[in-house]
Amino acid sequence: MKTPTLPLFDRPEGMTTHDYAFARLRQAIMVGSFRPGTSVTIRGLAEALESSPTPVREALRQLTSIGALQVLENRRIVVPHITPARFEELISLRIALESHAARRAVAHLTERQIERISAIDDSIEDEIRRGDQAAALIANQAFHRTIYTANPDQIVMPLIESVWLQLGPILGIAMEHVSELYVVDRHREAIDALRRRDEGAVADAIAADIREGIGGFDQQAIARLLKLAA
Amino acid sequence: MKTPTLPLFDRPEGMTTHDYAFARLRQAIMVGSFRPGTSVTIRGLAEALESSPTPVREALRQLTSIGALQVLENRRIVVPHITPARFEELISLRIALESHAARRAVAHLTERQIERISAIDDSIEDEIRRGDQAAALIANQAFHRTIYTANPDQIVMPLIESVWLQLGPILGIAMEHVSELYVVDRHREAIDALRRRDEGAVADAIAADIREGIGGFDQQAIARLLKLAA
DNA sequence: TTTGCGAAAATGTGATCACAAAATGAGATT
DNA sequence: AATCTCATTTTGTGATCACATTTTCGCAAA
């Protein structure tokens, strides 16, 4: 199967074909629908999306330039493989970027926004209880994104999402082999710190959340997962 | 003048038209050849590069997805404007990303590589003495890049270059209004710290270098520059 | 069974064209 | 002089086609 099935995705009216292709592929990669090493072809995707090569190629170019896909020497496009070293690198980058983003968001968050963030955290646990891993994952990303984007002049969010995209494939594998998502309860800690406007504590909570979440897999567990992906 | 003249750029044999367009535009933006607000058209660029819309459009899409260009509501593409807040955000991001990258590069740097970095630093001062601002700028970027990319599994370099690209336009304006580039001598400090394998000191030196370099312009100076760009 | 060869299919690339929407500019009207 | 109107031009979008390269696969030879 060269071209995996794409998750559902409503196409907003007025959206260009190119933007639609980009958004749909991006979403698929972000939630781990593609396995590392999967090759993606322009024509295959154009057919799947019922369009033509031109807009699909543009979408693929964008995805490669943000690290979500990789172009090989022979110009073919694949979902990047993940080595343990690369994985560790991505996690440490997440910590650096997101604790920075969280710290700089604190001053901009309103009480109302903090309540909304707290509500998102509740919905994460709902989805986990319901067993919908993909939904829990998306809600978890919304939790983080809502915090960071409170800063209106922020530049960092696209960079963070680039890292998320690069973690997507390993995340998909992990979800297949973990019967149940456990989410470390650092979110409450972060929310409390937000209420206290304690920038340092917020940054620490976010860093711990990342480290103990997906980052908490030790090298052995990752190596095992990556072998499964090969 | 809608489409500014592009700096010279040799086209390596075998490079695709699209890659050439991307590399050349990227380089132009990185060294500040484009002013904020400049609008870029597909056909205009295709003509300037003696090619056709298709590869140019792909290049533009990539540049927008890494923040080097911006698509407006009417789908026109422009060089982004920079506000003082955005500028400050970019500088703080540079500090966070590059001190992180520098710290994680230390363990991978060989003596030979450190000597090479030292040689690059010498070439920066040569270019400054010669008065070639663009060359000094490129050499300065090479100094930083050579340090960070010593880490073979590093993911962070594309993100750092994204930030550099977003700073490019303001940098071009600054160069027009500064008779002489002054480079704070934190490079020697960084090199010494590299030799001592002192990760913390390396990170601090890089952070100080950024802060006291372009980041050292105070809000007033930036506001004045940004007004000139309008 | 394995290896080598060649035709057929698949794939990336880039130019071109038609279409729709937006911007431009000239001329008329107030 | 300022504003409105409408034709013209410019611009982005996406489908299609031709070309070159790579990959795939069947078949014959070792």
Side-chain angles (χ1 to χ4, degrees):
Chain A
M1 176 91 75
K2 286 291 184 63
T3 304
T5 52
L6 295 169
L8 291 204
F9 199 103
D10 282 339
R11 176 171 182 172
E13 188 170 356
M15 186 180 225
T16 64
T17 305
H18 149 262
D19 275 333
Y20 176 62
F22 176 74
R24 202 161 155 184
L25 279 169
R26 186 191 132 97
Q27 172 78 334
I29 295 170
M30 183 89 81
V31 302
S33 300
F34 288 4
R35 310 180 74 91
T38 304
S39 75
V40 193
T41 67
I42 296 170
R43 283 179 172 85
L45 238 45
E47 191 172 357
L49 297 170
E50 295 177 329
S51 68
S52 69
T54 311
V56 169
R57 213 161 69 216
E58 293 168 21
L60 292 181
R61 292 249 194 263
Q62 287 195 77
L63 289 164
T64 58
S65 66
I66 58 180
L69 295 173
Q70 176 186 13
V71 284
L72 304 179
E73 314 301 332
N74 52 2
R75 294 179 180 170
R76 269 174 175 66
I77 297 175
V78 298
V79 179
H81 278 102
I82 304 188
T83 63
R86 217 172 93 86
F87 178 79
E88 197 275 330
E89 201 71 35
L90 284 165
I91 295 301
S92 81
L93 239 190
R94 268 201 71 185
I95 293 171
L97 281 171
E98 298 188 36
S99 55
H100 175 263
R103 173 178 279 111
R104 293 179 64 90
V106 171
H108 298 87
L109 280 160
T110 64
E111 298 293 333
R112 179 179 301 273
Q113 282 175 308
I114 296 175
E115 289 318 305
R116 194 164 145 247
I117 289 162
S118 181
I120 294 175
D121 185 42
D122 293 339
S123 78
I124 296 175
E125 298 187 16
D126 284 348
E127 299 295 357
I128 290 177
R129 261 191 295 277
R130 198 185 304 175
D132 191 339
Q133 292 181 339
L137 186 66
I138 290 175
N140 186 59
Q141 289 174 350
F143 175 85
H144 286 265
R145 186 184 296 107
T146 306
I147 295 176
Y148 311 148
T149 55
N151 177 352
D153 297 296
Q154 134 275 72
I155 304 286
V156 74
M157 200 58 229
L159 306 188
I160 291 173
E161 300 209 321
S162 166
V163 177
W164 288 358
L165 277 167
Q166 296 181 63
L167 283 168
I170 184 83
L171 211 146
I173 296 172
M175 290 201 311
E176 287 180 11
H177 297 274
V178 169
S179 58
E180 191 172 343
L181 275 186
Y182 66 100
V183 164
V184 188
D185 209 350
R186 296 290 191 165
H187 286 187
R188 283 286 152 214
E189 198 176 313
I191 292 169
D192 289 343
L194 285 177
R195 290 213 176 88
R196 298 197 314 274
R197 308 284 168 183
D198 185 338
E199 299 185 355
V202 170
D204 289 346
I206 293 294
D209 180 56
I210 297 168
R211 212 187 317 272
E212 298 172 14
I214 186 179
F217 290 114
D218 62 297
Q219 296 279 1
Q220 276 192 349
I222 294 302
R224 227 177 317 121
L225 284 179
L226 296 175
K227 198 167 296 176
L228 286 168
Chain B
M1 176 89 76
K2 286 292 184 63
T3 304
T5 52
L6 294 169
L8 289 204
F9 199 103
D10 281 339
R11 176 171 182 171
E13 188 170 355
M15 187 181 226
T16 64
T17 305
H18 150 262
D19 276 332
Y20 176 62
F22 176 74
R24 201 160 153 185
L25 279 169
R26 186 189 131 98
Q27 173 78 332
I29 295 169
M30 183 90 82
V31 302
S33 300
F34 288 4
R35 310 180 75 91
T38 304
S39 76
V40 199
T41 66
I42 297 170
R43 284 179 172 87
L45 238 45
E47 191 173 356
L49 296 169
E50 294 178 329
S51 68
S52 69
T54 311
V56 169
R57 213 160 70 217
E58 293 169 20
L60 292 181
R61 292 249 195 261
Q62 287 195 76
L63 289 165
T64 60
S65 66
I66 58 180
L69 295 174
Q70 176 187 12
V71 284
L72 303 180
E73 315 302 333
N74 52 1
R75 293 178 182 170
R76 268 172 175 69
I77 297 176
V78 297
V79 179
H81 277 101
I82 303 186
T83 62
R86 215 172 96 85
F87 178 78
E88 197 275 331
E89 201 71 36
L90 284 165
I91 295 300
S92 81
L93 239 190
R94 269 202 70 184
I95 293 171
L97 281 171
E98 298 188 37
S99 56
H100 174 263
R103 173 178 279 112
R104 294 178 63 92
V106 171
H108 298 87
L109 279 160
T110 63
E111 298 292 335
R112 180 179 302 272
Q113 283 175 308
I114 296 175
E115 289 317 307
R116 194 164 143 248
I117 289 163
S118 181
I120 293 175
D121 186 42
D122 292 339
S123 78
I124 295 176
E125 298 186 17
D126 285 348
E127 299 294 356
I128 291 178
R129 260 191 295 278
R130 198 185 304 176
D132 191 338
Q133 293 182 337
L137 187 67
I138 292 175
N140 185 60
Q141 290 174 348
F143 175 86
H144 287 264
R145 186 184 295 107
T146 307
I147 295 176
Y148 311 148
T149 55
N151 177 352
D153 297 296
Q154 134 276 80
I155 303 285
V156 74
M157 201 58 229
L159 306 190
I160 291 173
E161 299 208 322
S162 166
V163 177
W164 288 358
L165 277 167
Q166 295 180 64
L167 282 168
I170 184 82
L171 211 145
I173 296 172
M175 288 200 313
E176 287 180 12
H177 296 274
V178 170
S179 59
E180 191 172 341
L181 275 185
Y182 67 101
V183 165
V184 187
D185 209 349
R186 297 290 191 164
H187 286 187
R188 283 286 153 213
E189 197 176 316
I191 293 170
D192 289 343
L194 285 176
R195 290 213 176 88
R196 298 197 314 272
R197 307 285 167 184
D198 185 338
E199 300 185 354
V202 171
D204 289 346
I206 293 295
D209 179 55
I210 296 168
R211 211 187 317 272
E212 299 173 13
I214 186 178
F217 291 112
D218 63 296
Q219 296 279 2
Q220 276 192 351
I222 294 303
R224 228 178 316 121
L225 285 179
L226 295 177
K227 198 166 296 177
L228 286 167

